[in-house]
Amino acid sequence: QVQLAESGGGSVQSGGSLRLSCTASGYSIRSSCMAWFRQGLGKEREVVAAVNYDGIPSYAKSVEGRFTISRDNAENTLNLVMNLEMNSLKPEDTAIYYCVLTPRYSTPEECLRTTYTYWGQGTQVTVSS
């Protein structure tokens, strides 16, 4: 069973920055897509950014150029770490952000579109104007 734990959420003013981190543990799952989803109050859940096993990212249009996703496939541990650097934050970025993972070797574009098996509990990001 895979466990995902997010950290780094919080409150920031418009134009500010935050960094989210996610640690995936449970068993060795190197060939995987990882991504960040978000869901704002009264809005549908949407994918924000994804990264494939090779570390190649893909982004939703709404965050491209402002957010940077990365992952660390540590060779000697069973943990995977994924980060999301969020810059130039806007009030519309306010949402609960979820770390997700699915055991699949894919292109970054496929990772952005695929269905995800494992989900974290989520972390709140609030951007005030």
Side-chain angles (χ1 to χ4, degrees):
Q1 184 70 22
V2 175
Q3 292 87 39
L4 300 174
E6 304 100 336
S7 61
S11 297
V12 67
Q13 289 192 327
S14 182
S17 300
L18 282 174
R19 175 187 171 100
L20 304 182
S21 292
C22 172
T23 300
S25 59
Y27 62 89
S28 181
I29 36 176
R30 300 293 175 229
S31 294
S32 57
C33 286
M34 297 185 76
W36 290 95
F37 277 70
R38 68 185 180 187
Q39 187 165 20
L41 192 62
K43 298 181 181 179
E44 290 189 359
R45 189 171 58 195
E46 61 177 353
V47 64
V48 174
V51 58
N52 72 349
Y53 170 72
D54 297 319
I56 303 173
S58 55
Y59 299 95
K61 295 289 186 186
S62 58
V63 305
E64 200 161 18
R66 299 188 298 123
F67 290 11
T68 302
I69 190 172
S70 61
R71 66 185 281 172
D72 177 10
N73 296 335
E75 293 298 328
N76 298 319
T77 73
L78 297 179
N79 293 332
L80 300 175
V81 177
M82 177 178 65
N83 297 307
L84 185 69
E85 299 277 355
M86 304 184 294
N87 298 313
S88 302
L89 283 162
K90 305 174 182 180
E92 50 263 44
D93 294 318
T94 295
I96 299 175
Y97 284 70
Y98 298 92
C99 169
V100 298
L101 181 150
T102 197
R104 175 179 176 175
Y105 184 78
S106 299
T107 66
E109 294 74 23
E110 290 171 337
C111 286
L112 200 62
R113 297 192 301 265
T114 195
T115 300
Y116 281 84
T117 305
Y118 301 104
W119 290 71
Q121 293 298 310
T123 185
Q124 177 71 45
V125 171
T126 302
V127 184
S128 57
S129 56

